Amino acid sequence: MTAVDMTQTDPLPPAAPETAADDKEAGNSGAGSSGVNWWHEVKSIVLLILAVLAFHSFVAKPFYIPSESMMPVLLKGDRLVVSKFPYGWSYVSPSFHPLPFLKGRILGHLPERGDIVIVSPQNRREDYIKRVIGLPGDIVEVRGGQVILNGVPVPQKVLKPLRVAVDGNAPCPPMQFPGALVTDKAGKSWCELPVRQEVLPNGKTYVTIDMGPSALDWYGPVRVPADHVFLMGDNRDNSADSRAPLEENGLGGPVPWEAIGGRAEFITFSLDGDSSWNPLSWLHAFRGGRAGNSLRPQSVTEAK
């Protein structure tokens, strides 16, 4: 019987252990694939901030209404969009106004009468919002609350009193609106305001508030210098505008067109000021019917 060869071949030699150099290389490879490139992250954040600032400076920016000076078209608590390009760009165009006064505008255009604009007073680095009333060469005066342009009274018509709902941002303070606080049969509080429709020479029309005689009802006459505009608030008795001196936080007369930062376009949303830190209260703080409202004045051929 033939013998079968049961001899086994030698097993494969054991794998050589990894060297320290191999371990180090592997460790470096793992850190490179899973670590954070902090320089890249910081650079991305900086570029994003610069892009936002550039958009705010040259295209459009959000704006918050902090006062009642442009009632009734704008209420305290309104958020709106201001476009930066309609009048060109000046030293006030960059966000936060880091530049000193520089004469002239790039691709500059004068505003139209009736436009609502943001403006920076000469002695402060902040923005006001007012309406353009007078242009270069105009003679502006106010007599008994009526605006007179170039010797011609701006047409006015007394309208039915306007009721604005009272809330945290529109409390109807008696110092500003004496006797205006009323309560309806359902117990809801309103600010009942006397309003007038004005029509400027170019046909732009809007509504103003006139609470009666005040120091701001008499002004001028003054001639608007070249490259200047005359601005007024729609809440005529409570507006620090071109009629008020700089010492009283006003604009101190006609302002240089370089101080105009942009044109108000539309309301994005509005808050009534009655919210708290509780997130559940935020939804109730939104005022209804204001989002999307255009801030461009309507045009008519004559006062209605």
Side-chain angles (χ1 to χ4, degrees):
M1 189 172 191
T2 305
V4 179
D5 188 359
M6 301 295 293
T7 304
Q8 296 181 349
T9 60
D10 291 337
L12 294 174
E18 294 181 352
T19 63
D22 294 334
D23 290 340
K24 185 176 181 181
E25 183 178 353
N28 287 342
S29 175
S33 61
S34 60
V36 176
N37 187 332
W38 289 107
W39 167 243
H40 177 75
E41 295 298 324
V42 171
K43 184 171 66 173
S44 299
I45 293 173
V46 170
L47 290 176
L48 177 61
I49 293 174
L50 291 176
V52 171
L53 290 177
F55 187 86
H56 282 190
S57 299
F58 302 111
V59 182
K61 66 176 285 186
F63 191 84
Y64 165 73
I65 301 300
S67 70
E68 298 85 1
S69 70
M70 281 298 293
M71 288 179 67
V73 66
L74 287 171
L75 304 179
K76 182 179 178 181
D78 285 349
R79 271 71 171 179
L80 51 101
V81 169
V82 173
S83 59
K84 306 300 283 291
F85 53 87
Y87 312 131
W89 298 273
S90 71
Y91 79 101
V92 299
S93 296
S95 297
F96 312 117
H97 308 320
L99 301 176
F101 177 83
L102 297 172
K103 189 171 179 57
R105 300 187 73 96
I106 299 174
L107 301 177
H109 299 279
L110 277 170
E112 295 182 10
R113 288 191 182 92
D115 285 355
I116 298 176
V117 301
I118 58 172
V119 58
S120 295
Q122 297 178 29
N123 59 342
R124 287 180 297 279
R125 292 183 179 270
E126 58 182 314
D127 289 328
Y128 287 13
I129 185 162
K130 305 296 176 188
R131 191 181 297 276
V132 178
I133 300 297
L135 297 178
D138 285 344
I139 298 176
V140 182
E141 57 183 313
V142 182
R143 291 290 176 265
Q146 184 166 33
V147 178
I148 301 173
L149 285 177
N150 302 314
V152 180
V154 171
Q156 286 184 339
K157 181 180 180 181
V158 177
L159 303 179
K160 180 181 178 181
L162 176 67
R163 284 191 170 187
V164 176
V166 172
D167 56 38
N169 275 334
C172 199
M175 291 294 292
Q176 289 192 33
F177 308 113
L181 184 62
V182 298
T183 304
D184 62 19
K185 295 180 179 179
K188 183 176 177 60
S189 296
W190 299 87
C191 203
E192 190 170 85
L193 303 171
V195 291
R196 301 178 182 182
Q197 181 191 26
E198 280 188 354
V199 183
L200 293 173
N202 62 348
K204 301 298 183 180
T205 184
Y206 47 88
V207 174
T208 67
I209 297 174
D210 191 334
M211 296 301 300
S214 74
L216 294 174
D217 284 346
W218 302 88
Y219 178 85
V222 298
R223 183 181 292 275
V224 181
D227 296 332
H228 283 63
V229 291
F230 193 91
L231 307 176
M232 296 177 67
D234 291 348
N235 187 0
R236 290 294 167 79
D237 300 317
N238 296 281
S239 176
D241 50 38
S242 288
R243 298 169 296 168
L246 293 173
E247 296 76 18
E248 297 178 6
N249 295 324
L251 296 176
V255 299
W257 73 327
E258 291 91 349
I260 302 298
R263 183 178 67 196
E265 300 293 350
F266 60 89
I267 297 173
T268 53
F269 63 94
S270 184
L271 299 177
D272 62 16
D274 291 331
S275 61
S276 65
W277 290 106
N278 182 357
L280 296 178
S281 69
W282 297 352
L283 290 177
H284 298 287
F286 284 93
R287 290 186 177 120
R290 296 195 64 77
N293 286 355
S294 173
L295 298 175
R296 304 298 305 279
Q298 295 182 344
S299 296
V300 296
T301 55
E302 59 183 9
K304 295 182 179 180

